Each structure stands twice: as C-alpha cells, then as structure tokens.
Amino acid sequence: MRVKQALKSIDAFPRAEDHLLHKTQSGALVSIVGLVIMATLFLHELRYYFPTYTLHQMSVDLKRGESLPIHINMTFPSLPCDVLSVDAIDMSGKHEVDLDTNIWKLRINSYGQIIGTEYLSDLVEKGHAHHNHDDDKEHHEHSNETAHGHGFDQDAENMIKKVKQALAHGEGCQVYGVLDVQRVAGNFHVSVHGLNIFVAQMIFEGSNHVNVSHMIHDLSFGPKYPGLHNPLDGTERILHSASGTFKYYIKIVPTEYRYISKEVLPTNQFSVTEYFTPMTEFDKKWPAVYFLYDLSPITVTIKEERRSFLHFITRLCAVLGGTFALTGMLDRWMFRLIESFTSPSIRSSTR
C-alpha cells in the first residue's frame, strides 16, 4: 500500500472527479483553435523533415588523367552550316581528336525550322602548331598555301554559290553535341576558320561581314544535378550593324554530387566573364565565338542529407507541447475574464 501511495504522490497528471470539471464555450473555442494550430505546425514539421538538404564541402582536386565532357547546344541564325567549324585546342598545344565525339549541325531556315542535318566526327582544327586562340593570321596563311597548291577548283565555286544562296535565304545553323577534351586549360571556338581564305573572301567579302550572332541553349561541363545553374544557358547575342569576336572566359569548378542513396555524380559547375571585340575594316582576324576555360584546383562536394528522426521528434514535442501549454493558459485567462464580468451581475440579481 505504501508503494502505491508513493507512486500516486509523484503523479504529474492528477485527475479531478467528473463532477468537479466545468466545461465552457470559451474553453471549447480555445480547444478548437489550439487543435488547428497544432495540426498546422505538425504538417509544417513534416514538410521540414522529409525533404533533403545539401552540405557543401571543399577539398583539393586530385583527379588526373580524366577527360572533360563539354556539352554544347548553340544556334547561329546568320551563318549556314557549310561555313561553320568547331575547333578545340588545349594549353599544351595538343589537339583533341576523338572520332567517338558526337557533334551534329542542323540546317535551319529563317523561321527556325530544321531543313537538314550533318554529322561531324572530327572537329579539331589541324592547321595550328602552337597554343594561340587568336592566331587567325597563321591559319589563313596555311589556307593560302593550300589554295595555291590545289587551285581554285569547281568544288570551291560550287560551295561559294551554295553558301551565298543559303545566306540570301537567311539560313542558319544549330550546333549541338559533346566534346571530350583533356582535363587541362584550353579553348574551343565556333567560327568560319575551316574555310579556305579565298573561299571566305568570295563568300563574305571581308571579315567584318561575318555575323556571329548566336544563342546558347545549353553549355555545361558534365551531367546536371539538382539545383545546378549554368550561367550561359539561354544567352542571346544578336549583332545588327557591326561584327566582332565574342570571348567567354570560363572558370570550371570540379564538383561531386552525393545523393542520399550514396550514389556519386561527378560533374562540373562554372562561372563566366564575357567580352566582345568589334571588327574593323582593316582587321585580318575573322570573327568567332571563343570559350576559353580553366579548371579550379578546388573540388566542391555537395552531399544530400536527411534530418535526424530524433531531431524531428524533439521539435514536434516542443511545438505541440508549447501549443498545448499556451492554449491552456489562454483558456484560464479567458475563463477568469468572463467570470469577472458575469459574477457581479449574478450577485446583483440575487439581491
């Protein structure tokens, strides 16, 4: 008996007899409000617990010997596919020749509709001997020697006629696919550098007439992960009066995205700075769109994490318990306030 009495003495939730309980309309109203608040906060805590969140960590990039995938999808509305070439070179002067690289060129009309396609397997400019992405003069000297060696044949004349006809009809070109290059600093550019200099002169009548207006639909250096933003996606650069060269200086940050399932996705994110150099009548360089990239020595690791269940329970108890205690205090205050107004009228009526 003493044990039972001792246990009853530490009861934190004593219960009154039913006939001592007094239920009021104000108490019912406070109870309903409290239940609504607790249900709302409970749902809010559930929404806070179930979604994952990300942690960012940085470390030194130790990757070596891996390739760098470059996903491109661009449209040149003022240049036909026959004159466009995609060239790549790294800082060591080596050319990336990968026959497995998939690059496609789509012919589009002035309304943006596809009217033809062309597959490119070798996209590397073979006339360079040194790393110099502005060395157009050297490229054209090589083309000059080639022209004297082979002559201005019927094929070149047919191409000139074909391209001029395409320009007259407002034909453009969409270039898309993947370039696999070495994981070192370098550049790739889209230009008319693949043309023989005499052919280019016959077509455009000067470098300042080459319109390299372009729209970048997608430019990325690896697969996309949740929350990734590529700053050049959706970029439009349209030239109306003068031509020129666009240069995008890109800083690539190696990135690893670790899903909650422990799956690791290696990719890259980047920042970019843009410059435009207008052409003049005396420039010997030909307009182009350059993407000059360099890699950061720091790797960013993004990890998906889920909040602790014990943390969820702790927050839930705090929210629901706090709401219950607050509504209980509010009920007592309302009861006393109502009683203070009604008690005098009751006493006066009994007199």
Side-chain angles (χ1 to χ4, degrees):
M1 294 295 294
R2 292 182 178 179
V3 175
K4 292 182 178 181
Q5 291 296 330
L7 288 176
K8 289 181 179 181
S9 64
I10 62 175
D11 184 8
F13 307 99
R15 294 195 173 98
E17 298 292 337
D18 291 340
H19 66 278
L20 298 177
L21 298 176
H22 180 56
K23 297 184 178 181
T24 62
Q25 292 182 352
S26 62
L29 179 62
V30 172
S31 299
I32 293 173
V33 173
L35 288 174
V36 171
I37 293 174
M38 285 190 285
T40 303
L41 294 177
F42 175 73
L43 293 176
H44 179 269
E45 289 299 318
L46 281 179
R47 292 180 57 187
Y48 176 77
Y49 168 71
F50 282 109
T52 59
Y53 67 98
T54 56
L55 293 176
H56 291 70
Q57 299 174 342
M58 292 187 294
S59 60
V60 177
D61 184 19
L62 301 177
K63 295 178 181 178
R64 293 190 301 174
E66 297 185 6
S67 62
L68 178 68
I70 304 176
H71 301 262
I72 60 174
N73 187 355
M74 302 176 60
T75 295
F76 290 81
S78 301
L79 289 176
C81 290
D82 289 318
V83 302
L84 278 182
S85 66
V86 182
D87 311 317
I89 189 172
D90 62 34
M91 67 179 303
S92 65
K94 296 180 180 179
H95 304 111
E96 297 298 324
V97 181
D98 186 356
L99 297 180
D100 292 331
T101 298
N102 294 321
I103 292 289
W104 291 83
K105 292 197 297 185
L106 298 177
R107 295 172 54 210
I108 57 175
N109 59 20
S110 57
Y111 301 101
Q113 299 171 336
I114 298 173
I115 56 177
T117 182
E118 180 182 353
Y119 173 71
L120 304 179
S121 59
D122 186 354
L123 301 174
V124 180
E125 189 172 2
K126 300 178 179 178
H128 291 284
H130 303 285
H131 171 58
N132 186 349
H133 43 260
D134 286 328
D135 201 2
D136 295 0
K137 181 179 178 181
E138 184 176 310
H139 166 71
H140 288 310
E141 288 176 354
H142 175 78
S143 299
N144 192 0
E145 295 173 1
T146 303
H148 283 295
H150 298 283
F152 202 65
D153 56 12
Q154 186 65 34
D155 291 339
E157 293 182 358
N158 292 337
M159 181 179 180
I160 293 172
K161 182 179 180 181
K162 178 182 178 183
V163 174
K164 282 190 172 182
Q165 185 177 8
L167 288 171
H169 291 145
E171 187 174 313
C173 186
Q174 180 178 351
V175 181
Y176 71 96
V178 181
L179 284 171
D180 286 316
V181 299
Q182 289 186 354
R183 199 178 180 83
V184 294
N187 82 81
F188 69 95
H189 52 278
V190 186
S191 63
V192 297
H193 294 169
L195 289 176
N196 179 283
I197 186 172
F198 293 107
V199 174
Q201 288 284 1
M202 289 293 293
I203 293 174
F204 298 104
E205 299 178 356
S207 60
N208 58 326
H209 294 148
V210 179
N211 190 341
V212 291
S213 297
H214 59 279
M215 294 166 288
I216 304 176
H217 309 296
D218 175 47
L219 179 68
S220 57
F221 296 85
K224 296 183 179 180
Y225 60 84
L228 174 64
H229 171 67
N230 293 320
L232 285 178
D233 289 0
T235 299
E236 292 189 8
R237 298 293 179 264
I238 306 299
L239 300 175
H240 298 286
S241 57
S243 183
T245 295
F246 291 90
K247 293 182 180 179
Y248 297 96
Y249 293 89
I250 297 173
K251 191 69 172 182
I252 301 174
V253 181
T255 303
E256 282 188 350
Y257 193 88
R258 299 179 179 269
Y259 290 93
I260 194 71
S261 61
K262 306 303 180 182
E263 179 185 355
V264 179
L265 178 67
T267 184
N268 300 278
Q269 52 186 325
F270 67 94
S271 61
V272 63
T273 303
E274 174 186 350
Y275 292 96
F276 173 73
T277 305
M279 301 292 296
T280 64
E281 295 182 0
F282 305 102
D283 281 334
K284 295 183 179 180
K285 298 182 297 183
W286 288 76
V289 180
Y290 285 92
F291 298 90
L292 304 100
Y293 56 87
D294 193 9
L295 284 89
S296 169
I298 301 299
T299 296
V300 175
T301 301
I302 305 174
K303 298 173 63 177
E304 284 186 349
E305 297 285 349
R306 191 179 297 280
R307 294 171 179 84
S308 170
F309 181 72
L310 291 178
H311 185 239
F312 168 70
I313 294 298
T314 302
R315 288 176 58 97
L316 197 61
C317 291
V319 167
L320 299 184
T323 305
F324 185 79
L326 183 62
T327 53
M329 294 172 58
L330 182 61
D331 176 53
R332 288 193 294 271
W333 292 339
M334 288 185 64
F335 178 76
R336 291 174 182 176
L337 182 63
I338 294 174
E339 191 178 44
S340 64
F341 282 103
T342 57
S343 294
S345 59
I346 294 175
R347 284 196 295 269
S348 61
S349 62
T350 55
R351 289 178 184 176

